[in-house]
Amino acid sequence: MATTSENSGDPESSMGYQSNEEWITRITRLQDTLAVCPTDILARGELATLLEQLEQPEEALFHWNAILACNPNNLKAREGVARCRRRTGRFLQSNR
């Protein structure tokens, strides 16, 4: 029996079943986009979310902080930073 769950906003809850090749393709596409336009907040946010899904919170934290450097009021990035800090045990460290 198949079950469905609502997306709670947590990147892990939205992770589908994808092959390694699909993950690599997505990461490569996003990295290529950021190489051309490092301030592309949408691409950087998607990459950060993907890295969280792949259980790489320190890498994701780097990208969330880069978004906040461009847009300090970005709620999605602030939430991403909080999640990554929880996962890495870096609760009280500043963005700097």
Side-chain angles (χ1 to χ4, degrees), residues 41-91:
I41 291 175
L42 293 176
R44 195 169 292 278
E46 185 178 343
L47 180 57
T49 299
L50 178 60
L51 290 167
E52 281 190 71
Q53 291 172 348
L54 295 172
E55 297 183 17
Q56 296 183 28
E58 290 187 6
E59 286 290 320
L61 181 59
F62 170 83
H63 291 286
W64 290 130
N65 282 327
I67 292 171
L68 290 176
C70 294
N71 182 356
N73 295 319
N74 186 299
L75 180 59
K76 185 174 181 179
R78 287 179 174 270
E79 291 171 343
V81 165
R83 278 191 310 272
C84 291
R85 285 187 178 166
R86 263 194 319 274
R87 290 182 182 142
T88 61
R90 296 164 63 180
F91 301 111

